[in-house]
Amino acid sequence: MHYAIISDVHANLEALQAVLAKTEEEKIEGILFSGDSVGYGPDPNECTKILKEKAKIMVAGNHDRAAAGMTGITYFNPLARVAIEWTREVLSRENVEFLQSLPLTAELEEDNIYLVHATPREPEKWRYLLYEYDARINFNYFKEKICFLGHSHIPFIVERFSGGEIKFHYHYAEIRKENRYIVNAGSVGQPRDGNPDAAYVLLSDNSVEIKRISYDIVLTQKKMKKAGLPAYLINRLSAGR
Ligand code: ZN
């Protein structure tokens, strides 16, 4: 088993291409995608098409569902809303239908993997899993050994020991036979942990690792400007916030 897990691409084609090129060198067996193909960025059609082709399994994120007209956008912050409205205008019929077809959760039974965008407990409510308290509860809502998710754009690995102890890792964790894991894959297209490099996760039989890769941020920003997307969303890419 050797997978790359990616999340929150948010229509950032340059970041997606950089990650995919890197995972090709790493000779992975497949890509698992934790949701949010679109929203914020300038290339929603290209990114959706690539993810559709490349992902072994994928789930819907809140931006995917909103862009596909399945949920309202009143709960989005005003800038995210502007980006979703723009995305709705440019997204092809085919991509809208594809995003509508995505489930909220998915399993890879043979590898004991569970996939969701926000939380296993209430996938449709788009809650954030950030702290030990949230992690502890959410371990009760999936049966697999490892759950991959995204949504907060901040990567981490939570390890739950057989005795109940919880430990957070920020770069790497060994996969131990008796323990279970929740892994936030961070964000390919809009990291918010202060590091502007695209984030993704590599999973092998005995380890899980958070990886970072630089990409052509200036090109993405130029495209966003041309599309008339909000300046705040353009600038935040360079800060990784
Ligand atoms: Zn997101």
Side-chain angles (χ1 to χ4, degrees), residues 7-10 35-36 38 40 62-63 117 150-153 187 190 192:
S7 191
D8 294 85
V9 166
H10 286 296
D36 275 358
V38 303
Y40 299 128
N62 51 322
H63 289 253
H117 181 63
H151 195 43
S152 69
H153 299 203
S187 172
Q190 198 202 80
R192 290 179 194 159

Side-chain angles (χ1 to χ4, degrees), residues 193-207:
D193 60 344
N195 178 352
D197 292 348
Y200 67 103
V201 162
L202 269 188
L203 173 72
S204 72
D205 283 329
N206 45 25
S207 72

Side-chain angles (χ1 to χ4, degrees), residues 54-66:
K54 300 267 180 183
K56 184 178 169 83
I57 52 170
M58 65 190 277
V59 293
N62 51 322
H63 289 253
D64 299 325
R65 292 241 155 154

Side-chain angles (χ1 to χ4, degrees), residues 106-234:
E107 298 91 35
L108 208 55
E109 266 173 46
E110 64 271 31
D111 295 309
N112 223 350
I113 290 171
Y114 184 78
L115 202 65
V116 65
H117 181 63
T119 64
R121 188 187 185 191
E122 299 165 305
E124 74 292 349
K125 292 201 170 151
W126 315 116
R127 309 257 194 239
Y128 290 95
L129 193 161
L130 299 170
Y131 309 110
E132 181 178 331
Y133 174 80
D134 316 311
R136 201 174 277 287
I137 293 172
N138 273 281
F139 272 111
N140 298 320
Y141 289 85
F142 63 99
K143 62 180 191 317
E144 289 75 10
K145 184 176 178 70
I146 312 182
C147 167
F148 290 99
L149 45 77
H151 195 43
S152 69
H153 299 203
I154 296 171
F156 59 70
I157 302 159
V158 193
E159 181 171 19
R160 186 189 182 281
F161 290 74
S162 50
E165 188 200 335
I166 299 270
K167 190 174 175 188
F168 276 70
H169 307 266
Y170 296 95
H171 299 287
Y172 176 90
E174 215 179 291
I175 303 279
R176 285 178 250 252
K177 213 172 151 193
E178 59 287 3
N179 297 351
R180 293 174 73 219
Y181 301 82
I182 294 175
V183 181
N184 190 317
S187 172
V188 170
Q190 198 202 80
R192 290 179 194 159
D193 60 344
N195 178 352
D197 292 348
Y200 67 103
V201 162
L202 269 188
L203 173 72
S204 72
D205 283 329
N206 45 25
S207 72
V208 57
E209 188 179 359
I210 296 163
K211 309 277 279 185
R212 306 304 286 254
I213 176 109
S214 61
Y215 70 95
D216 192 346
I217 293 180
V218 174
L219 177 55
T220 308
Q221 289 174 320
K222 275 186 192 154
K223 290 185 186 174
M224 289 173 79
K225 202 168 178 187
K226 207 173 160 199
L229 287 159
Y232 176 83
L233 297 180
I234 298 172

Side-chain angles (χ1 to χ4, degrees), residues 26-69:
E26 285 158 341
K27 301 209 184 325
I28 57 132
E29 279 165 56
I31 289 179
L32 319 182
F33 179 58
S34 284
D36 275 358
S37 321
V38 303
Y40 299 128
D43 289 307
N45 284 310
E46 294 75 2
C47 290
T48 304
K49 187 167 175 273
I50 291 172
L51 289 164
K52 183 180 171 182
E53 282 166 15
K54 300 267 180 183
K56 184 178 169 83
I57 52 170
M58 65 190 277
V59 293
N62 51 322
H63 289 253
D64 299 325
R65 292 241 155 154

